[in-house]
């Protein structure tokens, strides 16, 4: 999956992704030293928060099977493509609201035409 994303990126995007990865590892250390003059609780919070985030990402990367995940996503995509009428309730509400707005606009246009 990462290979597909990397192939789709332009060289500028690849460079910025490398920079973002580097920043995610360096920023906890930068915060540790820059907030050293602040209260110890804030410094400790930033350090522990960054450390936990790094450990969580490392664990997720090691335990996630990218091929299996990609297969499940592709299966869901094919299923939704085969059954396009199946929409979420939010989508149904949005479509109903759009239909109501169009009906209101049509009535307003008819009323303006009658006035003329």
């Amino acid at each position: 999956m990462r290979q597909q994303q990397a192939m789709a990126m332009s060289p500028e995007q690849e460079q910025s992704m490398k920079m973002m990865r580097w920043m995610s590892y360096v920023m906890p250390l930068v915060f540790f030293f820059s907030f050293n003059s602040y209260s110890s609780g804030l410094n400790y919070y930033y350090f522990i928060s960054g450390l936990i985030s790094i450990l969580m990402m490392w664990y997720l990367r090691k335990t996630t099977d990218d091929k299996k995940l990609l297969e499940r996503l592709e299966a869901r995509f094919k299923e939704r493509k085969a059954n396009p009428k199946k929409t979420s309730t939010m989508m149904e509400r949005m479509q109903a609201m759009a239909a109501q707005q169009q009906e209101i606009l049509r009535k307003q246009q008819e009323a303006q035409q009658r006035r003329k």
Side-chain angles (χ1 to χ4, degrees):
M1 187 171 199
R2 282 183 250 152
Q3 291 173 348
Q4 290 175 346
Q5 289 175 345
M7 291 176 68
M9 284 191 233
S10 68
E12 295 85 19
Q13 289 173 329
E14 286 182 40
Q15 184 66 25
S16 66
M17 285 299 291
K18 288 178 185 177
M19 193 65 134
M20 286 179 7
R21 280 192 205 118
W22 181 79
M23 290 293 282
S24 69
Y25 294 119
V26 172
M27 286 309 289
L29 294 173
V30 171
F31 284 152
F32 182 79
F33 290 108
S34 65
F35 292 137
N36 206 15
S37 62
Y38 292 164
S39 65
S40 61
L42 181 64
N43 189 21
Y44 185 69
Y45 167 76
Y46 278 120
F47 179 72
I48 296 299
S49 176
L51 187 63
I52 289 172
S53 297
I54 290 171
L55 291 174
M56 284 173 49
M57 287 306 298
W58 175 81
Y59 176 76
L60 288 172
R61 298 272 178 168
K62 293 293 180 188
T63 59
T64 302
D65 184 11
D66 289 339
K67 290 180 183 178
K68 189 175 181 180
L69 182 62
L70 185 60
E71 288 173 4
R72 288 179 65 191
L73 289 172
E74 288 177 353
R76 277 194 188 152
F77 177 74
K78 289 176 184 175
E79 179 184 321
R80 287 188 178 168
K81 201 167 191 177
N83 301 326
K85 297 194 185 238
K86 184 178 179 182
T87 59
S88 68
T89 56
M90 183 66 159
M91 180 63 88
E92 290 172 1
R93 280 188 250 154
M94 295 297 284
Q95 289 173 346
M97 286 172 52
Q100 285 177 347
Q101 286 177 343
Q102 286 186 353
E103 182 65 24
I104 291 170
L105 282 173
R106 187 184 61 76
K107 288 180 180 179
Q108 286 176 350
Q109 289 173 350
E110 286 177 1
Q112 285 178 354
Q113 288 177 356
R114 286 184 202 148
R115 290 181 196 155
K116 290 182 182 181

